[in-house]
Amino acid sequence: AALYCRRYVAGGQCKSTAKLDGKVVVITGANTGIGKETARDLARRGKVIVACRDITKAEAAASEIRAETGNQQVVVKKMDLADTKSIREFAEKFLAEEKELHILINNAGVMLCPYSKTADGFEMHLGVNHLGHFLLTFLLLERLKQSAPARIVNVSSLAHHGGRIRFHDLHGEKCYNRGLAYCHSKLANVLFTRELARRLQGKSHWRAEFTANALHPGSVHSELVRHSFVMTWLWKIFSFFLKTPWEGAQTSIYCAVAEELDSVTGQYFSDCQPAYVSPWGRDDETAKKLWSVSCELLGIQWD
């Protein structure tokens, strides 16, 4: 029974053996947890660029992956999602150095932070989990288009079910709850994916070759709960019922490489299969409004 239960917890696995020869992947926050496991798997297939805030940790992870996979093309670049200047610097360097980009995995995230703001004055969860990745995707979009077929993969969460986009108090200045702030930011990931896919489909000449999907990795035993003593404690107690980072990475890998998703876009996956999206995550009006508010906050024009 224990074995069966463990197998159930592990969830779906990515069966694809697709190679990414000559292809370039960018993944954010890949120095720990599911990001690191995603990078490890993709490094067996092609070139991986790891964009992280903590260079020391990222280098340690990258050298471990290089040693294990024999792939020297695991490159670390500095990028802090809590600072738009850092995101722009990363993108500028990347575009100068790399002529192609085939897969962008917006994986990094913060969870349950005490109230704080990013360098640009955004509430931390919204700023890092949504706005930082929104800006990064915007800056790398042309390169993705030129390299089509290309994929954008946004790591969201089941927590999006508890989220609402509170336009009247986006930065939680009137009312803040760190658990809900996380849920709101994960809903933003789902809505961003939906609207991005809609816009990409409108540009029919590269429609089938350019996809954007979101996913829930599962409840994973990772460092993500480090800001909460209670959650850290619960995670330890219930670790048997949590996915390992490797198991948690499977759906990210699936969305990045699975051949059957070549022309699938705007979807949300869990355990390597389509999953249920909350009614708020399917609201096109909210998705459009979030898009224009995000552009305003970031000072960009993205039509």
Side-chain angles (χ1 to χ4, degrees):
L3 192 67
Y4 177 78
C5 172
R6 189 64 209 112
R7 216 171 272 160
Y8 175 76
V9 168
Q13 267 185 38
C14 177
K15 304 272 195 288
S16 169
T17 54
K19 283 278 174 233
L20 300 173
D21 298 328
K23 295 198 169 176
V24 179
V25 180
V26 164
I27 172 166
T28 65
N31 56 4
T32 172
I34 61 171
K36 182 177 172 185
E37 293 306 322
T38 306
R40 192 193 307 269
D41 179 284
L42 297 179
R44 293 197 171 93
R45 306 170 191 254
K47 178 171 183 174
V48 178
I49 293 172
V50 174
C52 289
R53 183 190 54 188
D54 187 331
I55 289 287
T56 319
K57 260 190 182 172
E59 278 298 354
S63 64
E64 179 191 313
I65 292 169
R66 284 192 287 262
E68 194 180 306
T69 60
N71 179 3
Q72 293 312 302
Q73 290 193 301
V74 180
V75 185
V76 173
K77 299 278 180 208
K78 184 168 173 62
M79 184 182 71
D80 182 357
L81 283 159
D83 184 353
T84 56
K85 192 163 151 282
S86 171
I87 300 168
R88 287 178 180 280
E89 280 167 8
F90 165 82
E92 210 173 293
K93 281 196 187 116
F94 175 84
L95 295 171
E97 291 163 11
E98 299 290 337
K99 292 300 156 239
E100 292 188 304
L101 173 58
H102 304 88
I103 301 168
L104 170 62
I105 303 179
N106 290 318
N107 162 83
V110 293
M111 180 180 178
L112 303 174
C113 308
Y115 189 76
S116 56
K117 286 187 166 175
T118 67
D120 303 85
F122 308 141
E123 185 275 317
M124 192 58 75
H125 293 90
L126 187 80
V128 170
N129 298 355
H130 168 60
L131 292 168
H133 283 130
F134 187 94
L135 178 62
L136 179 66
T137 307
F138 167 74
L139 295 170
L140 299 181
L141 198 73
E142 280 305 314
R143 188 65 90 238
L144 281 157
K145 270 186 221 174
Q146 294 159 2
S147 315
R151 296 184 187 191
I152 296 167
V153 179
N154 294 325
V155 179
S156 177
S157 166
L158 184 68
H160 85 269
H161 285 276
R164 308 285 181 273
I165 303 300
R166 301 165 67 249
F167 290 109
H168 63 286
D169 188 21
L170 267 184
H171 303 296
E173 287 159 332
K174 299 188 181 100
C175 161
Y176 181 75
N177 172 300
R178 56 192 187 164
L180 287 176
Y182 176 71
C183 295
H184 301 332
S185 72
K186 293 287 113 181
L187 174 59
N189 294 153
V190 172
L191 290 166
F192 168 46
T193 306
R194 188 178 181 88
E195 181 62 10
L196 178 60
R198 188 187 71 78
R199 285 164 175 260
L200 297 179
Q201 276 179 311
K203 314 257 196 292
S204 58
H205 56 287
W206 33 271
R207 174 163 77 204
E209 316 210 286
F210 200 47
T211 63
N213 291 298
L215 67 106
H216 166 54
S219 299
V220 181
H221 202 288
S222 74
E223 286 181 19
L224 202 55
V225 294
R226 62 182 174 270
H227 291 294
S228 166
F229 172 74
V230 177
M231 288 289 278
T232 306
W233 183 70
L234 285 170
W235 248 224
K236 278 201 173 75
I237 295 175
F238 293 109
S239 61
F240 181 77
F241 299 103
L242 295 171
K243 291 187 178 190
T244 63
W246 181 83
E247 289 161 354
Q250 294 304 305
T251 308
S252 296
I253 298 162
Y254 174 75
C255 288
V257 302
E259 297 86 345
E260 63 266 34
L261 298 188
D262 277 345
S263 54
V264 174
T265 189
Q267 299 301 306
Y268 171 75
F269 294 86
S270 176
D271 281 329
C272 302
Q273 56 193 15
Y276 180 74
V277 176
S278 82
W280 290 275
R282 284 173 280 150
D283 186 330
D284 290 331
E285 284 317 299
T286 307
K288 287 181 182 127
K289 187 172 176 188
L290 178 64
W291 186 282
S292 64
V293 169
S294 301
C295 286
E296 245 166 79
L297 287 168
L298 292 163
I300 59 177
Q301 277 198 309
W302 188 354
D303 303 320

